[in-house]
Amino acid sequence: DTASFREPTMADLRLTQFGRSSAIVTPPPPSSEEEEGENGDSSGGDASTLTRPFCETPDVTEGNATNGNNNDESDRSIANPNHKIGPEVEDCELDKSNIIIIGPTGSGKTLLVKTLAKLVDVPLVIADATCLTQAGYVGEDVESILFKLYLESGQDLERCQRGIVYVDETDKIRKSGGNVSISRDVSGEGVQHALLKIVEGNVINVPKEPGRKNPRGDFIQIDTSNILFISGGAFAGLETIINKRMDAASIGFGATMKKNIEDFKVQGKYFDNAIPKDLVQFGMIPEFVGRFPVIVSTKGLDEKSLVDILTEPKNSLMKQYNFQFAMNGIRFHATECALAEVAKMAFLRGSGARGLRSITENILMETMFVVPSLEKVHTVYLDAMAVRGERKPILLKHPDMTAEKFEELLKEGQTWEEMEGADVVQFEDSEEYFGEAA
């Protein structure tokens, strides 16, 4: 019986491998109308009436055992080991596809890899390519990456051979432009040559003891055929190479206008159209680029995304500052205008999400030093004027002066100088806050 071909759907996937719960939950109690329609049947707690959570895949084996039937839909489910989806094909071994991630700094490349490793529950090692050197020179050998992965997997060799290795700052190991005959490029091109066999997939002898290699020492044989290697880097200047290839200079009617490659949207468009030839021209050797068949890019963050990063994540910056001030019994309040101004400054600097902390630290540094020594202050109020540097953040001291009341008075036209119990941070006048001992 040949089953007709159909596209697999999300219901055919076993989502338990992605952290979904497979526990059976009890449905909500039926309404009064449903109870009347059941003719007094009160067996609502029976196992047959229990359902699984939303988006959960039913166990095909259990369903066939309990129901005693083997319908066509269950036969064609991916969850069934004997499924019949599509035409019969010849069995083959699936090879891995290594990935190169290109994107500006602070666009979430490392966070993307960490989330991927947590999602599929495999060991992850983030290695810095700038620390690696060619074998025989001072620095870490490329085999140290696999040893770190072996330790990260709990010294479980089978789990180690299914892990993920993220080589960060890959663009820093490109070929140097100097004369190679004078000195060897041990931290650039030499590292790329050393990574070739490891990335491609071979059995690598990894020394058990890190440090200098001992020919008589013990080795661990690690097969890298199923280890996913992901290389990431900012690749600053690659957009210029892609621009010359895609939008060559021309004159006359219908000529291609010169584009601003400093714009993050234009950079994202160019990075999406990157090909291995561009990376070779950037300074990567063809053998290294050929072992990474997938080239993807991350977009630069806009102002709205930066505001979400400030507030939405579990360990966002604003939540961290709320916790730090709460340790001294003080409430921290940042207005939406202040968050938008911080995001705007980080966007103009071009430092991405990492630039948010540097901006907020410079704004709140004096406040975090002064506030713990003040007894009457109960709220720190941060607005757009304080972010721009026009004045310091506001300290609310009066018990009745809350942040909401302070904003209402500002809307009525009053200034903070006219309000009772509102003051600014004055770190320069140390005698007022710290006494003569200061």
Side-chain angles (χ1 to χ4, degrees), residues 116-134:
L116 173 64
K118 187 182 297 183
L119 186 66
V120 297
D121 190 20
V122 295
L124 168 69
V125 164
I126 300 177
D128 192 358
T130 57
C131 300
L132 303 176
T133 56
Q134 195 174 359

Side-chain angles (χ1 to χ4, degrees), residues 170-405:
T170 311
D171 54 329
K172 308 303 186 296
I173 60 173
R174 64 175 180 175
K175 294 189 295 185
S176 61
N179 190 358
V180 184
S181 61
I182 298 176
S183 61
R184 301 186 64 180
D185 189 11
V186 297
S187 62
E189 186 179 359
V191 178
Q192 297 186 46
H193 285 291
L195 286 170
L196 293 181
K197 285 299 180 182
I198 296 179
V199 170
E200 185 177 9
N202 287 280
V203 179
I204 308 298
N205 292 327
V206 180
K208 286 187 177 181
E209 297 180 359
R212 192 169 184 178
K213 288 184 179 179
N214 184 7
R216 300 180 181 178
D218 295 333
F219 290 92
I220 307 170
Q221 288 189 340
I222 299 178
D223 187 5
T224 62
S225 301
N226 294 323
I227 297 178
L228 178 63
F229 286 86
I230 303 176
S231 296
F235 288 89
L238 182 63
E239 65 274 6
T240 305
I241 299 174
I242 304 175
N243 181 29
K244 293 179 180 179
R245 176 176 58 85
M246 295 181 58
D247 301 324
S250 59
I251 60 175
F253 295 102
T256 303
M257 301 300 294
K258 185 177 180 181
K259 296 182 180 180
N260 182 20
I261 59 177
E262 299 295 334
D263 187 5
F264 76 98
K265 293 184 179 180
V266 177
Q267 288 184 1
K269 178 183 176 182
Y270 282 145
F271 285 156
D272 290 339
N273 294 276
I275 60 176
K277 181 181 178 181
D278 301 327
L279 296 176
V280 172
Q281 191 174 354
F282 180 80
M284 313 303 292
I285 60 176
E287 300 93 326
F288 184 82
V289 178
R291 285 165 170 80
F292 290 86
V294 181
I295 301 176
V296 297
S297 64
T298 57
K299 302 291 191 304
L301 301 175
D302 55 2
E303 296 183 17
K304 183 179 181 302
S305 301
L306 293 173
V307 172
D308 293 338
I309 292 174
L310 280 171
T311 56
E312 295 296 332
K314 179 181 178 181
N315 298 320
S316 63
L317 274 178
M318 292 298 105
K319 294 179 182 178
Q320 293 182 30
Y321 284 116
N322 285 332
F323 183 78
Q324 291 183 19
F325 282 107
M327 294 174 65
N328 296 312
I330 298 172
R331 180 189 175 194
F332 176 70
H333 180 80
T335 63
E336 295 182 358
C337 297
L339 299 177
E341 194 69 24
V342 171
K344 181 180 179 181
M345 294 175 63
F347 178 77
L348 294 177
R349 292 183 181 182
S351 54
R354 290 190 179 94
L356 296 173
R357 180 176 290 276
S358 63
I359 295 173
T360 53
E361 286 289 338
N362 292 330
I363 297 171
L364 297 173
M365 183 182 297
E366 296 182 359
T367 306
M368 289 188 291
F369 274 103
V370 170
V371 164
S373 61
L374 302 178
E375 298 179 356
K376 297 182 180 180
V377 175
H378 58 82
T379 303
V380 175
Y381 184 85
L382 181 67
D383 57 356
M385 295 182 63
V387 174
R388 290 192 295 264
E390 299 177 5
R391 57 166 170 77
K392 301 293 183 181
I394 299 294
L395 304 179
L396 302 181
K397 302 179 180 179
H398 197 277
D400 298 333
M401 181 63 70
T402 61
E404 293 77 10
K405 183 178 179 181

